[in-house]
């Protein structure tokens, strides 16, 4: 009895924390973020990132309870012993020359690369099964990935997450450039999100707007990351990213004012209740420089400055979890307005109509000092009708010269003068503003060599045809219609007898 | 004597009275059984929707398939029970003036592509081999679940095919064909493996009736948009998109299906009347001789919807919440934290390390049988030519 009592106490102590344990803090968290970047060419890039971090070691324990981390991907990690997985589906190409450096670029089509754990014995087998399973999850033809399009890079594609050794035999990389991205790939991607296009930033993900873009890239990245600053244990991070570039002329009808409604046909109403952080960043770097070109409405409550991709950038921050941001208007529709349009102020273009009117292009530009501006136009050569060629087509065809009308700032201010008093050379162009003078310049005319047909060909063709017809048809005609008749040689005749007489006289044998 | 007769008559009337309720009970039971006989005995519904045409000018075939997909989803069949095969991508085709949309009515009234579509087989995966593998279930083991037809002997399956066809064949992607004999044999395999309870086969191609001529398995009903020798025509072009949007037969079938809801009692005879010759120009045909039930007893929702028989129970079951599972593992993590040393991220471009690494030599395998045989042959020929006496100089 006495021994039983401490035993009972011991049992109670062991059971105590198990039965009346307080609810532990949730072990996964979601952060969502949207970065809107106006690009130098007038287009707008929007990059969504949804990051779910799960503080658990998937390899060690049998996990059966999934909260924010999607079960489909969690089971994938544990079944195929993945260390990292990166899958991207892209349509279009990021034009670095016009748009600048991207945060994360992906190749056109589908790209899949994965690092497996050291415990995997047959990496190729796991890779094949992994691509099949992913093709079912994302509705893409990733099952076409096999040894003919898989490589094992030996120096690049180092792990992006935590790694204690980099034996490249556990890395596989494959690209399917022919893969198409469409709504059927976006639908399962959206379903992996905890708030799944119902609340938060994911309400903006509407397929008919997202695919009407110059560049569309959606990706899934899974990697182990440090759980805290000490980095003693691993958390699994799932990042779902989506980058789109809206074309200024297709979506914006040429105007460069952007708003969330024009881009996505939706506005933001509430943050995702499962997210610990939900922010929209707008790149306003041009705002703080000269010219005051970009204006963001509603004005941001905070800004964020950092060195991003090598340059210092300023971002306007809108925190959806902050109730002051979505206040009485119940929805957040960010608007970007250009106060003074950068670069080209006015463009007028009238395309040509064949055999009716020519191309007309007028542009008003502000040329920066000490700089070189090049304007180039691409053209194609057409084939004319044969009556439209001049007698000397090999000379080429002329394109009229272009006209440059410029207001050049003068070094010395000019005075407006009376035209009757001043010499004639100074009164060609009226002077309205004394600080600059007007000048009209012309470029050289362009001589374009058009493809010229060989005008001697009709003659050659006629000769050849006539020869062929004469030889072939003529021979057949003769063969078919020529008859042979036997002709008796005529015996005599007066002329013949006379000729024989003369010949006998000469001593020549007779006819 | 009279008393016994009287008693006998009373007794017979009593027996007669007793027999009457029994008789009515038996009659109602027979009626029930008869009614059960005419009702379908399926428990789940599957749909296999195939578009076999590639290229932009065959937009209408993709629109056909997607409109049937839309109706079938609307009437209750979930994505996990639909195998959708589209041979080309029209929605995100560079020639589509409105990306991510596929329209079935001109003036862009109805977007059948929608926002929630899952295509299981797309582009180059739509082949005759994959189609037959899906039907018969002879699929490689690594195929994901969404690409399989996991039907059983109580499944009603709807199979819809559209594309370009001819007398006895259907063209897949302009590179191969499936013949009506292959299709009939595939259905026979399905029957023998008990993969369907009843099957409805709809085909919208030119000379579509030739595809169901050769069926010989029971419980198959077939519909086609045109008879042998007739062409199935398209409905209307849209000037903004520039192609024909739908085929006539499927257009009128879609209009017919838009009126159906999961509770409607419309039967197959109404489906047979859809698109008479005046609207369709071709003569739609159907085949019901292999089907056991009368088509007028077959509901549209037996194949196009997912209407289950539900039994409602009133007893309650209480579930115990379990909270003890997650606790122990969390504590295990905390304990291990102090033991391990800090981890670090890999360097993305370690130039010095890359320059000095040696390329990995491939594992040496011993020469295979062919190489050994070849060398043996060469050595044998050498010694036969020059004599065995040279051997002592080698060994």
């Amino acid at each position: 009895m006495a021994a039983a009592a401490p035993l009972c106490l011991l049992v109670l102590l062991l059971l105590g924390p198990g039965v009346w344990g307080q609810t532990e803090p949730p072990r996964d968290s979601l952060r969502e973020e949207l970065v809107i970047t106006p690009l130098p060419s007038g287009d707008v890039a929007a990059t969504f990132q949804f990051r779910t971090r799960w503080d658990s070691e998937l390899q060690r324990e049998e996990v059966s309870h999934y909260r924010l981390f999607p079960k489909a991907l969690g089971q994938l990690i544990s079944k195929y012993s993945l260390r990292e997985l990166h899958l991207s589906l892209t349509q279009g190409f990021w034009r670095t020359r016009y748009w600048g450096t991207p945060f994360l670029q992906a190749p056109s089509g589908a790209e899949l690369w994965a690092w497996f754990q050291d415990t995997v014995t047959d990496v190729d087998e796991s890779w094949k099964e992994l691509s099949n399973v992913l093709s079912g999850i994302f509705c893409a033809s990733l099952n076409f990935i096999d040894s003919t399009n898989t490589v094992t890079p030996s120096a690049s594609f180092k792990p992006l997450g935590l790694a204690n050794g980099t034996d490249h035999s556990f890395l596989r990389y494959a690209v399917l450039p022919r893969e198409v991205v469409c709504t059927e790939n976006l639908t399962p991607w959206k379903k992996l999100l905890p708030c799944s296009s119902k609340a938060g930033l994911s309400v903006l993900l509407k397929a008919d707007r997202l695919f009407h873009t110059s560049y569309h890239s959606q990706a899934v990245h899974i990697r182990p990351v440090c759980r805290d600053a000490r980095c003693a244990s691993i958390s699994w991070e799932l990042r779902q990213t989506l980058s789109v570039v809206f074309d200024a002329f297709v979506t914006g009808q040429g105007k460069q004012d952007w708003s969330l409604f024009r881009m996505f046909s939706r506005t933001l109403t509430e943050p995702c209740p499962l997210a610990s952080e939900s922010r929209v960043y707008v790149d306003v770097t041009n705002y703080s420089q000269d010219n005051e070109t970009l204006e963001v409405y509603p004005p941001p409550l905070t800004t964020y400055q950092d060195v991003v991709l090598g340059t210092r950038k300023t971002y306007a921050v809108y925190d959806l979890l902050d109730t002051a941001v979505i206040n009485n208007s119940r929805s957040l529709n960010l608007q970007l307005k250009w106060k003074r349009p950068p670069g080209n102020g006015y463009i007028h273009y009238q395309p040509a109509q064949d055999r009716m009117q020519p191309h007309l292009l007028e542009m008003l530009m502000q040329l920066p000092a000490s700089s070189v501006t090049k304007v180039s136009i691409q053209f194609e050569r057409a084939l004319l009708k044969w009556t439209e060629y001049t007698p000397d087509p090999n000379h080429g065809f002329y394109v009229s010269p272009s006209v440059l009308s410029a207001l050049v700032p003068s070094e010395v201010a000019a005075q407006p003068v009376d035209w009757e008093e001043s010499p004639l050379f100074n009164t060609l162009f009226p002077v309205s503003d004394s600080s600059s003078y007007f000048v009209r310049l012309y470029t050289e005319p362009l001589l374009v060599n058009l493809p010229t047909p060989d005008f001697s060909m009709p003659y050659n063709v006629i000769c050849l045809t006539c020869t062929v017809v004469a030889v072939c048809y003529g021979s057949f005609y003769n063969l078919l219609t020529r008859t042979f008749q036997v002709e008796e040689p005529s015996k005599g005749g007066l002329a013949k007898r006379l000729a024989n007489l003369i010949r006998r006289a000469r001593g020549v044998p007779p006819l | 004597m009279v008393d016994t007769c009287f008693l006998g008559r009373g007794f017979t009337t009593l027996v007669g009275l007793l027999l009457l309720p029994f008789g009515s009970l038996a009659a109602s039971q027979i009626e029930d059984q008869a009614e059960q006989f005419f009702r379908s005995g399926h428990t789940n519904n599957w749909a296999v929707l195939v578009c076999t045409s590639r290229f932009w000018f065959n937009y209408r075939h993709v629109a056909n398939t997607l409109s049937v997909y839309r109706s079938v989803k609307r009437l209750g069949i979930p994505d996990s029970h639909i195998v959708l095969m589209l041979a080309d991508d029209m929605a995100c085709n560079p020639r589509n003036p409105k990306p991510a949309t596929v329209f079935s009515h001109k003036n862009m009234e109805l977007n059948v592509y929608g926002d929630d579509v899952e295509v299981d087989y797309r582009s180059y995966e739509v082949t005759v081999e994959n189609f037959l593998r899906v039907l018969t279930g002879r699929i490689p083991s690594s195929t994901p679940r969404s690409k399989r037809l996991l039907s059983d002997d109580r499944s009603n399956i709807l199979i819809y095919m559209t594309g370009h066809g001819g007398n006895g064949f259907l063209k897949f992607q302009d590179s191969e064909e499936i013949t009506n004999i292959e299709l009939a044999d595939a259905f026979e395999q399905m029957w023998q493996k008990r993969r369907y309870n009843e099957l409805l086969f709809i085909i919208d191609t030119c000379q579509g009736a030739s595809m169901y001529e050769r069926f010989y398995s029971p419980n198959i009903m077939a519909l086609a948009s045109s008879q042998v020798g007739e062409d199935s025509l398209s409905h209307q072009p849209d000037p903004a998109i520039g192609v024909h949007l739908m085929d006539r037969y499927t257009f009128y079938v879609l209009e017919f299906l838009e009126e159906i809801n999961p509770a409607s009692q419309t039967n197959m005879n109404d489906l047979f009347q859809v698109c008479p010759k005046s609207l369709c120009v071709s003569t739609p045909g159907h085949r019901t001789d292999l089907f056991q039930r009368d088509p007028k007893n077959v509901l549209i929702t037996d194949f196009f919807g997912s209407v289950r028989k539900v039994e409602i129970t009133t007893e309650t079951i209480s579930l115990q919440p379990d909270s003890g599972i997650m606790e122990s593992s969390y504590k295990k993590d905390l304990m291990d934290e102090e033991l391990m040393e800090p981890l670090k991220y890999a360097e993305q471009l370690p130039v010095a390390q890359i320059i000095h690494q040696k390329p990995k030599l491939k594992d040496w395998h011993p020469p295979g049988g062919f190489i050994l045989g070849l060398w043996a042959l060469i050595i044998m020929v050498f010694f036969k030519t020059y004599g065995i006496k040279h051997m002592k100089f080698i060994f």
Side-chain angles (χ1 to χ4, degrees):
Chain A
M1 189 60 199
L7 194 65
C8 301
L9 277 168
L10 196 63
V11 166
L12 270 172
L13 278 168
L14 279 171
L15 278 177
V19 175
W20 293 292
Q22 64 273 36
T23 51
E24 50 177 82
R27 297 168 64 187
D28 45 15
S29 61
L30 170 70
R31 283 173 59 177
E32 50 180 31
E33 173 189 285
L34 165 63
V35 179
I36 299 180
T37 317
L39 298 170
S41 62
D43 309 320
V44 146
T47 307
F48 290 86
Q49 279 207 46
F50 300 91
R51 193 199 87 156
T52 307
R53 203 189 82 178
W54 194 16
D55 299 332
S56 127
E57 300 249 9
L58 277 171
Q59 314 305 121
R60 275 221 306 254
E61 55 202 47
E62 279 304 315
V63 182
S64 57
H65 182 67
Y66 290 87
R67 194 176 147 254
L68 294 179
F69 201 93
K71 180 174 170 188
L73 297 178
Q75 287 181 332
L76 212 65
I77 300 174
S78 46
K79 179 158 183 219
Y80 296 108
S81 305
L82 285 176
R83 197 163 70 184
E84 280 195 22
L85 175 74
H86 302 270
L87 167 66
S88 70
L89 289 158
T90 311
Q91 166 217 59
F93 182 67
W94 181 275
R95 310 205 167 266
T96 313
R97 194 146 51 111
Y98 301 113
W99 297 341
T101 324
F103 290 121
L104 182 70
Q105 194 186 354
S108 275
E111 184 201 42
L112 174 68
W113 58 281
W115 276 90
F116 291 87
Q117 301 270 354
D118 308 357
T119 51
V120 174
T121 46
D122 191 350
V123 181
D124 289 316
E125 182 67 33
S126 301
W127 172 251
K128 185 90 186 89
E129 287 183 25
L130 176 69
S131 46
N132 275 320
V133 170
L134 284 172
S135 86
I137 296 177
F138 290 101
C139 290
S141 328
L142 298 174
N143 48 321
F144 285 135
I145 290 179
D146 56 4
S147 62
T148 59
N149 46 26
T150 306
V151 290
T152 307
S154 60
S156 50
F157 288 101
K158 299 273 183 209
L160 288 173
L162 292 172
N164 47 2
T166 56
D167 183 1
H168 278 258
S169 63
F170 291 103
L171 165 68
R172 292 290 182 272
Y173 175 88
V175 172
L176 292 172
R178 184 73 166 95
E179 201 57 34
V180 171
V181 194
C182 208
T183 314
E184 67 246 23
N185 306 112
L186 186 65
T187 307
W189 189 92
K190 278 199 288 190
K191 287 184 182 166
L192 294 175
L193 297 172
C195 271
S196 176
S197 80
K198 303 279 195 305
L201 293 175
S202 42
V203 297
L204 299 176
L205 300 173
K206 287 292 152 201
D208 53 342
R209 306 299 299 170
L210 287 178
F211 288 102
H212 203 53
T213 52
S214 317
Y215 176 79
H216 173 105
S217 173
Q218 61 193 57
V220 169
H221 301 279
I222 303 176
R223 59 179 180 168
V225 293
C226 293
R227 197 176 290 192
D228 46 25
R230 206 151 44 109
C231 208
S233 50
I234 291 179
S235 296
W236 284 92
E237 180 195 75
L238 164 69
R239 277 194 198 221
Q240 290 181 255
T241 64
L242 194 140
S243 304
V244 285
V245 173
F246 292 99
D247 196 301
F249 286 94
V250 172
T251 320
Q253 286 104 42
K255 293 195 280 279
Q256 285 171 351
D257 290 338
W258 291 102
S259 71
L260 280 184
F261 189 77
R262 170 172 281 152
M263 289 194 275
F264 301 107
S265 70
R266 291 283 185 288
T267 55
L268 292 168
T269 48
E270 52 168 347
C272 176
L274 299 169
S276 59
E277 202 180 286
S278 180
R279 298 216 180 119
V280 180
Y281 291 87
V282 182
D283 185 352
V284 289
T285 317
N286 290 335
Y287 179 90
S288 37
Q289 285 172 4
D290 48 5
N291 284 2
E292 273 196 322
T293 45
L294 180 63
E295 184 189 64
V296 185
Y297 178 81
L301 296 169
T302 48
T303 54
Y304 172 71
Q305 278 215 9
D306 203 359
V307 177
V308 172
L309 291 169
T311 51
R312 181 158 288 279
K313 293 215 168 101
T314 316
Y315 290 91
V317 182
Y318 296 88
D319 194 344
L320 291 177
L321 290 171
D322 188 1
T323 45
V325 171
I326 307 181
N327 44 15
N328 33 9
S329 65
R330 301 291 298 276
S331 78
L332 176 66
N333 185 16
L334 287 170
Q335 287 170 14
L336 286 89
K337 290 204 213 349
W338 294 93
K339 274 226 208 109
R340 205 190 321 163
N344 306 338
Y346 173 80
I347 292 184
H348 173 235
Y349 176 60
Q350 192 180 53
Q353 281 175 302
D354 276 351
R355 301 172 180 90
M356 276 175 54
Q357 67 185 34
H359 291 281
L360 170 66
L361 174 63
E362 283 182 272
M363 289 192 297
L364 177 68
M365 289 183 285
Q366 193 166 28
L367 301 178
S370 310
S371 65
V372 176
T373 305
K374 284 191 189 165
V375 176
S376 61
I377 300 173
Q378 286 181 327
F379 61 90
E380 287 178 1
R381 297 164 217 254
L383 202 58
L384 295 177
K385 298 183 183 168
W386 71 289
T387 48
E388 291 171 347
Y389 283 96
T390 55
D392 57 346
N394 297 304
H395 181 80
F397 291 82
Y398 284 94
V399 175
S400 46
S402 26
V403 186
L404 185 67
S405 315
L407 267 179
V408 186
S410 358
E411 291 166 358
V412 180
Q415 308 293 334
V417 291
D418 185 14
W419 276 22
E420 297 303 315
E421 300 300 316
S422 55
L424 294 170
F425 59 78
N426 216 7
T427 56
L428 280 165
F429 294 112
V431 171
S432 54
D433 180 12
S434 56
S435 62
S436 53
Y437 61 94
F438 180 78
V439 70
R440 182 168 283 153
L441 304 172
Y442 292 85
T443 65
E444 287 180 33
L446 188 60
L447 188 59
V448 175
N449 222 353
L450 284 184
T452 311
D454 185 358
F455 289 108
S456 63
M457 269 316 279
Y459 170 75
N460 295 340
V461 166
I462 291 171
C463 283
L464 195 66
T465 316
C466 288
T467 311
V468 166
V469 164
V471 168
C472 296
Y473 177 68
S475 324
F476 268 112
Y477 181 76
N478 281 336
L479 275 175
L480 292 172
T481 57
R482 189 160 50 188
T483 56
F484 291 93
Q485 290 168 334
V486 176
E487 206 173 84
E488 298 292 321
S490 55
K491 277 275 179 56
L494 186 63
K496 187 156 171 233
R497 252 185 275 170
L498 209 57
N500 278 339
L501 213 63
I502 299 173
R503 287 174 88 95
R504 217 178 316 131
R506 283 170 63 198
V508 172
L511 288 169
Chain B
M1 200 60 147
V2 179
D3 295 330
T4 50
C5 289
F6 186 71
L7 197 66
R9 212 176 302 135
F11 187 64
T12 43
T13 44
L14 190 68
V15 167
L17 276 169
L18 281 170
L19 276 174
L20 214 67
F22 278 130
S24 60
L25 256 175
S28 63
Q29 259 184 2
I30 289 174
E31 258 181 52
D32 269 342
Q33 278 178 7
E35 216 183 317
Q36 288 281 347
F37 182 71
F38 288 121
R39 232 183 280 148
S40 171
H42 72 283
T43 58
N44 54 71
N45 283 86
W46 285 81
V48 178
L49 311 172
V50 184
C51 160
T52 60
S53 299
R54 179 168 273 276
F55 305 121
W56 174 246
F57 50 82
N58 291 323
Y59 182 102
R60 58 188 188 278
H61 297 141
V62 172
N64 289 349
T65 318
L66 284 172
S67 50
V68 177
Y69 172 77
R70 177 202 139 81
S71 308
V72 148
K73 261 182 93 160
R74 194 177 53 84
L75 291 172
I77 303 187
D79 271 314
S80 54
H81 281 225
I82 303 179
V83 177
L84 178 62
M85 304 171 89
L86 296 180
D88 201 358
D89 167 56
M90 298 303 168
C92 290
N93 196 310
R95 292 173 77 164
N96 193 347
K98 292 202 65 134
T101 57
V102 174
F103 292 107
S104 60
H105 289 62
K106 74 171 178 201
N107 301 326
M108 301 181 189
E109 284 165 18
L110 180 61
N111 174 17
V112 289
Y113 197 58
D115 216 8
D116 185 17
V117 56
E118 288 184 17
V119 181
D120 302 304
Y121 286 84
R122 60 182 200 163
S123 187
Y124 297 130
E125 296 175 299
V126 178
T127 58
V128 173
E129 183 189 339
N130 280 347
F131 174 62
L132 292 176
R133 281 187 188 278
V134 163
L135 285 184
T136 54
R138 292 156 72 171
I139 270 187
S141 54
S142 54
T143 318
R145 220 183 137 95
S146 58
K147 289 184 168 176
R148 294 177 190 242
L149 179 65
L150 298 165
S151 57
D152 51 27
D153 63 325
R154 289 264 144 252
S155 309
N156 274 12
I157 306 183
L158 165 73
I159 297 185
Y160 176 84
M161 302 183 76
T162 181
H164 287 291
N167 190 356
F169 67 92
L170 172 62
K171 196 168 69 155
F172 266 69
Q173 291 208 44
D174 216 7
S175 69
E176 50 183 0
E177 299 109 28
I178 186 172
T179 57
N180 47 5
I181 302 171
E182 280 177 352
L183 196 58
D185 287 342
F187 287 160
E188 177 64 15
Q189 274 196 49
M190 287 175 79
W191 173 251
Q192 295 199 359
K193 289 165 106 167
R194 298 283 177 262
R195 278 170 72 78
Y196 69 89
N197 174 36
E198 284 169 348
L199 200 131
L200 176 64
F201 176 76
I202 305 182
I203 185 161
D204 188 349
T205 62
C206 303
Q207 308 192 49
S210 63
M211 288 305 283
Y212 61 62
E213 272 171 5
R214 300 294 196 121
F215 290 167
Y216 54 93
S217 319
N219 283 357
I220 299 183
M221 189 180 334
L223 282 102
S225 61
S226 54
Q227 301 291 332
V228 174
E230 283 181 349
D231 284 340
S232 215
L233 300 177
S234 58
H235 185 68
Q236 51 184 333
D238 181 293
I241 299 179
V243 284
H244 286 262
L245 295 182
M246 282 274 269
D247 278 333
R248 283 175 190 251
Y249 181 70
T250 311
F251 181 81
Y252 291 107
V253 167
L254 173 66
E255 286 203 342
F256 173 78
L257 288 174
E258 288 284 308
E259 325 245 312
I260 309 277
N261 55 52
S264 66
Q265 299 290 312
T266 331
N267 55 39
M268 278 295 166
N269 273 341
D270 302 324
L271 189 59
F272 295 156
Q273 306 308 319
V274 161
C275 208
K277 196 171 163 79
S278 55
L279 289 171
C280 251
V281 184
S282 57
T283 318
H286 54 90
R287 179 177 177 180
T288 51
D289 56 315
L290 295 166
F291 207 75
Q292 282 177 2
R293 294 190 286 150
D294 192 345
K296 74 170 190 293
N297 292 326
V298 180
L299 299 175
I300 299 283
T301 50
D302 280 350
F303 288 104
F304 285 90
S306 186
V307 180
R308 322 282 185 91
K309 295 185 196 27
V310 175
E311 194 183 292
I312 301 180
T313 171
T314 50
E315 58 179 74
T316 54
I317 306 169
S318 53
L319 299 167
Q320 305 291 338
D322 55 348
S323 58
I325 296 179
M326 292 183 298
E327 288 287 332
S328 51
S329 49
Y330 190 53
K331 292 207 167 25
K332 206 162 36 152
D333 280 344
L334 282 172
M335 285 191 313
D336 282 338
E337 253 186 47
E338 285 91 23
L339 301 174
M340 292 171 59
E341 69 272 11
L343 308 152
K344 51 187 183 4
Y345 292 101
E347 215 184 298
Q348 289 301 299
L349 202 61
V351 178
Q353 184 193 336
I354 291 173
I355 291 175
H356 291 111
Q357 79 186 17
K358 289 188 187 33
K360 199 163 166 300
L361 293 162
K362 289 195 81 69
D363 297 336
W364 180 80
H365 297 285
F370 176 73
I371 304 291
L372 277 176
L374 191 68
W375 277 110
L377 186 69
I378 291 170
I379 290 172
M380 198 178 69
V381 167
F382 172 77
F383 283 117
K384 275 194 98 63
T385 322
Y386 295 106
I388 208 79
K389 61 183 186 297
H390 290 275
M391 280 268 276
K392 64 173 188 292
F393 294 111
I394 311 289
F395 296 108

